[in-house]
């Protein structure tokens, strides 16, 4: 498929579209050996696009993984404190992968990783309102009032939250388990929402991201998304 060069470069995770446009203007990009100009398009299946003399990977070089992130792994590619990072778990994939959004150190569950930088940025952006469902265990009882606050939306120190969906509530001794679905992605959002209604989270696991389910994938294991799943993600 023919696409603008800046789009191809952004999809390859090389640069933002704006940065890519600058590189084109600076003459660092060629198509089939000819210097490219702004507005040029190419098809990576048939054209050879080079940036600083290095070929741009064809679209087949894209990887889309669904990982079950274990507790204790940092959602980043490198940690200055030397803690285990999620990319340690996908070393056999021959590409530099980025996590889509992030999970806290003590949160486990579904995390997407890809080297499709543009899709990663798009999916993680709050504007796209991708639904994420978490299985939470909280200390205390989810009273009807607490549930209503979560479902209506409440105010945190960084502003009001959108309404959340609460499902599958199950009391277990002094704890309550429930599923909570949000479509924002603020820092520690589920933990802070639950704390705001007096329910500290003692366990948090993401079990769904849009239409993708964690299923019975074991912690630390990943699977590649199939073509239909990737196409559906791009349509979100
Ligand atoms: N909400 C949280 O509080 N933590 C996460 O890791 C994800 C969502």
């Amino acid at each position: 498929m023919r696409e603008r060069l800046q789009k191809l470069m952004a999809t390859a995770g090389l640069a933002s579209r704006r940065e890519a446009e600058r590189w084109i203007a600076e003459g660092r990009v060629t198509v089939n050996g000819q210097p490219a100009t702004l507005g040029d398009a190419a098809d990576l299946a048939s054209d050879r696009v080079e940036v600083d003399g290095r070929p741009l990977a064809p679209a087949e070089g894209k990887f889309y993984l669904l990982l079950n992130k274990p507790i204790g792994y940092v959602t980043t590619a490198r940690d200055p404190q030397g803690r285990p990072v999620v990319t340690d778990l996908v070393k056999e994939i021959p590409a530099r992968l980025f996590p889509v959004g992030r999970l806290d150190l003590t949160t486990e569950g579904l995390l997407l990783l890809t080297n499709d930088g543009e899709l990663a940025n798009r999916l993680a952006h709050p504007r796209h309102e991708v639904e994420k469902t978490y299985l939470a265990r909280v200390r205390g009882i989810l009273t009807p009032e607490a549930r209503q606050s979560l479902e209506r939306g409440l105010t945190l120190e960084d502003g009001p939250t959108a309404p959340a969906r609460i499902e599958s509530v199950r009391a277990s001794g002094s704890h309550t388990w429930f599923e909570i679905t949000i479509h924002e992605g603020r820092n520690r959002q589920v933990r802070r929402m639950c704390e705001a209604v007096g329910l500290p989270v003692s366990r948090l696991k993401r079990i769904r991201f849009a239409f993708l389910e964690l299923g019975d994938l074991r912690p630390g294991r990943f699977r590649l998304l199939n073509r239909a799943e990737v196409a559906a993600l791009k349509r979100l």
Side-chain angles (χ1 to χ4, degrees), residues 55-190:
L56 203 59
E60 291 79 71
K62 291 281 167 277
F63 295 93
Y64 304 87
L65 280 65
L66 188 163
L67 169 75
N68 184 352
K69 173 198 171 300
I71 292 169
Y73 279 74
V74 187
T75 307
T76 175
R78 207 173 313 137
D79 182 50
Q81 295 174 47
R83 294 170 295 185
V85 296
V86 291
T87 48
D88 291 345
L89 299 165
V90 296
K91 279 201 173 127
E92 66 220 69
I93 302 294
R96 200 156 67 88
L97 299 172
F98 317 93
V100 176
R102 57 184 296 278
L103 294 176
D104 299 335
L105 184 68
T106 54
T107 300
E108 57 191 317
L110 194 164
L111 182 68
L112 294 181
L113 293 153
T114 180
N115 56 342
D116 182 339
E118 183 161 45
L119 186 69
N121 289 334
R122 211 143 53 77
L123 291 176
H125 198 287
R127 178 159 47 88
H128 292 286
E129 308 213 329
V130 177
E131 281 201 345
K132 285 146 290 210
T133 301
Y134 298 84
L135 176 62
R137 184 181 71 179
V138 298
R139 216 161 350 109
I141 304 298
L142 180 70
T143 61
E145 295 75 30
R147 179 174 184 159
Q148 206 173 58
S149 291
L150 294 169
E151 287 180 330
R152 283 190 177 156
L154 42 81
T155 301
L156 300 174
E157 71 226 20
D158 52 353
T161 68
R165 209 167 59 237
I166 306 291
E167 290 161 304
S168 308
V169 180
R170 184 165 56 83
S172 162
S174 56
H175 288 83
T176 309
W177 291 87
F178 55 89
E179 290 180 16
I180 176 167
T181 300
I182 61 172
H183 55 71
E184 302 163 287
R186 280 144 64 177
N187 191 28
R188 296 174 54 80
Q189 183 166 343
V190 172

